[in-house]
Amino acid sequence: MTQKTIQPHTSLDRRRFLSGGAKMAAVGAVSGGLTAVGFRPAGAAGIPEELPDHSRYLGPGVTDQPYGTPSQYEAHVIRRNVEWLTGSTESSINFTPLQDLHGIITPNGVFFERHHSGRADIDPAQHQLMIHGLVERPISLSVPDLLRFRPVDRIFFTECAANGGMEWRGAQLNGVQFTRGMLGCAQWTGIPLRTLFDYVGLKPKAKWVLAEGADAAALTRSIPMDKALDDCMVAFGQNGEMLRPGQGYPMRLVVPGWEGNMWVKWLRRLEVGDEPWYTRWETSKYTDLLPNGKAYKFTWVQEANSVITSPSPEKPMNGAGPHVIRGLAWSGNGRIKRVDVSMDGGKNWITAPLEEPILPKALTRFYLPFRWDGKSSLMLQSRAMDETGYVQPTIVDLRNARGTNSIYHNNSIMTWLVNPTGEVENVQVA
């Protein structure tokens, strides 16, 4: 889809929909293999009967693309932004095309980017990471210095705290990419903070870490020492290559399961202290406003969430017969334990099979085969549960707790309305 397809808020009365004929019997899940019913018969129009040119002539040589790119026929799979969302592109965000991806790893070329003062372009030969404060031996590390420590490879998702933030007051953006695309999952390669802090030696009062970026915004966040020593790392690699500039080249912080702004990019300083710093990024920014005007601070964890990527507004239904509901689930508290899918707006639920691997604080795939009669409306939802027992809430649950003025941590159940034509809309169930 293009930005021109962004649609305004679409509302729908639940009772009107349910009385309109959404019948579970018409769309019941199937457990067996697919049949030929619903597919084009072999030999029908559109099936090539003669060899095409690409089967008769030589293609380009192996050095035609020294750094490979996707097929020209996948050129539509790109990051996109919403022009009216922010005043400038330097302090803005673009969105991962989740609806066009497969598996759980997000390719680096379409991994979402969030900048506060534009993308820093850093010469690694000029870059240093300083570790100081309540440590025994303050040090300054160049990139080659950092590479002298033993690295680890870990798969984690990262998600902007504002993912889904435009949906607090109603369904607003008509697509997976724009409603849940501030999300990506990668294999990160880097040095655990525990390794670095063991090297410099922590003083007895060391309880917090301040991470600061080298971009013009100098974003800074306070991180409890327990979390820093648990699973945080200074990453230099992503999905097998060095970080790209938009992801913090040459080094960034990885804070698994916590909101993306904690993953400070272009990392230049780690200061160890005995209390949090209360910077502007953790007082006036990145707090959760409540109906009484007060705000939660330090709401770090990205709790259990999920989204159906197909069918979706970008992936309409193409006729009666067999289909598969495809989706992603994730939780900052650990592994996904279960994902339920509803086809009637939350009235009935079916547990969807999860695809391996199911890793802690990483994206998890779920697939649910089903058969559509090609004429019934559907109201598709997914609901994730993580290994702590936390269940993804409804938007009503969240509004009751935090009102409608919030921006961050909207992990509510989403609803796709499948029309009899097969077109799909973003709606909310009251």
Side-chain angles (χ1 to χ4, degrees):
M1 76 178 272
T2 67
Q3 291 180 33
K4 292 182 179 178
T5 63
I6 298 172
Q7 300 296 325
H9 174 201
T10 301
S11 62
L12 186 76
D13 179 79
R14 178 178 178 174
R15 286 177 297 179
R16 177 167 60 84
F17 166 76
L18 293 176
S19 63
K23 301 294 191 295
M24 291 297 292
V27 296
V30 295
S31 57
L34 301 179
T35 72
V37 177
F39 297 107
R40 180 186 298 119
I47 303 290
E49 297 180 351
E50 297 183 357
L51 284 177
D53 285 348
H54 57 73
S55 297
R56 298 190 294 167
Y57 302 106
L58 296 176
V62 294
T63 56
D64 177 62
Q65 295 182 347
Y67 207 124
T69 58
S71 164
Q72 61 177 315
Y73 305 107
E74 298 298 320
H76 61 286
V77 183
I78 57 174
R79 291 180 292 235
R80 292 183 171 87
N81 69 338
V82 177
E83 292 181 358
W84 51 260
L85 185 61
T86 54
S88 72
T89 57
E90 289 79 11
S91 181
S92 189
I93 192 163
N94 56 31
F95 300 78
T96 301
L98 296 174
Q99 71 283 352
D100 287 303
L101 303 183
H102 308 283
I104 63 171
I105 298 298
T106 306
N108 292 341
V110 293
F111 209 100
F112 83 98
E113 296 182 12
R114 169 70 167 114
H115 309 150
H116 295 88
S117 293
R119 182 186 305 118
D121 184 16
I122 296 178
D123 178 355
Q126 306 297 319
H127 189 74
Q128 295 281 320
L129 169 62
M130 183 168 61
I131 304 177
H132 65 119
L134 295 179
V135 300
E136 299 292 343
R137 296 172 295 279
I139 57 174
S140 183
L141 299 171
S142 66
V143 174
D145 291 337
L146 188 67
L147 295 177
R148 294 169 66 181
F149 292 90
R150 186 193 183 286
V152 297
D153 305 306
R154 300 286 185 270
I155 296 176
F156 296 120
F157 80 83
T158 183
E159 180 183 23
C160 179
N163 202 17
M166 290 172 282
E167 305 286 301
W168 272 100
R169 297 186 180 184
Q172 183 171 203
L173 298 177
N174 209 29
V176 177
Q177 184 162 9
F178 297 111
T179 54
R180 285 294 185 270
M182 301 181 192
L183 174 72
C185 184
Q187 183 185 56
W188 308 95
T189 300
I191 313 302
L193 283 191
R194 176 178 288 279
T195 299
L196 297 174
F197 288 153
D198 283 347
Y199 184 79
V200 299
L202 295 174
K203 292 185 175 180
K205 291 186 178 180
K207 300 296 182 185
W208 289 80
V209 182
L210 181 75
E212 181 179 284
D215 60 327
L219 186 143
T220 47
R221 290 305 311 258
S222 302
I223 302 169
M225 185 59 74
D226 289 346
K227 175 65 174 177
L229 297 178
D230 178 25
D231 55 6
C232 294
M233 58 196 285
V234 176
F236 52 83
Q238 179 179 351
N239 291 337
E241 64 179 12
M242 292 295 287
L243 293 170
R244 296 193 176 190
Q247 297 301 327
Y249 179 85
M251 58 181 76
R252 74 176 302 173
L253 201 61
V254 167
V255 187
W258 288 16
E259 56 191 30
N261 64 80
M262 309 287 290
W263 298 45
V264 176
K265 296 188 285 190
W266 312 291
L267 186 65
R268 70 178 174 190
R269 192 164 71 90
L270 292 171
E271 181 178 355
V272 178
D274 58 356
E275 59 183 12
W277 278 258
Y278 298 107
T279 70
R280 65 183 292 263
W281 301 102
E282 46 206 16
T283 52
S284 66
K285 311 292 183 184
Y286 296 118
T287 59
D288 296 291
L289 186 63
L290 302 177
N292 62 6
K294 294 185 178 181
Y296 284 130
K297 63 179 180 181
F298 296 154
T299 50
W300 298 304
V301 176
Q302 296 294 107
E303 294 181 308
N305 205 339
S306 68
V307 65
I308 292 173
T309 57
S310 178
S312 63
E314 298 100 327
K315 300 292 181 185
M317 306 279 281
N318 58 350
H323 292 272
V324 176
I325 292 175
R326 295 171 166 83
L328 292 164
W330 60 99
S331 173
N333 285 318
R335 290 178 173 82
I336 289 296
K337 181 179 180 181
R338 196 178 86 195
V339 176
D340 296 329
V341 171
S342 176
M343 301 184 191
D344 56 5
K347 186 176 181 180
N348 296 284
W349 295 91
I350 303 168
T351 297
L354 303 181
E355 181 70 14
E356 298 285 349
I358 304 171
L359 304 173
K361 303 171 187 175
L363 296 185
T364 296
R365 276 280 173 190
F366 62 90
Y367 300 108
L368 181 65
F370 75 108
R371 187 176 299 276
W372 185 47
D373 61 12
K375 55 185 179 183
S376 297
S377 295
L378 309 174
M379 196 172 276
L380 301 179
Q381 297 181 336
S382 62
R383 179 180 64 188
M385 176 189 296
D386 67 27
E387 60 185 345
T388 71
Y390 178 92
V391 179
Q392 186 180 351
T394 66
I395 187 64
V396 175
D397 294 335
L398 286 185
R399 285 176 182 153
N400 287 341
R402 288 192 270 147
T404 58
N405 290 323
S406 191
I407 299 174
Y408 306 117
H409 299 283
N410 179 4
N411 63 327
S412 63
I413 294 169
M414 295 196 66
T415 308
W416 300 137
L417 169 63
V418 180
N419 292 302
T421 60
E423 298 294 315
V424 184
E425 298 178 51
N426 177 21
V427 301
Q428 288 191 354
V429 177

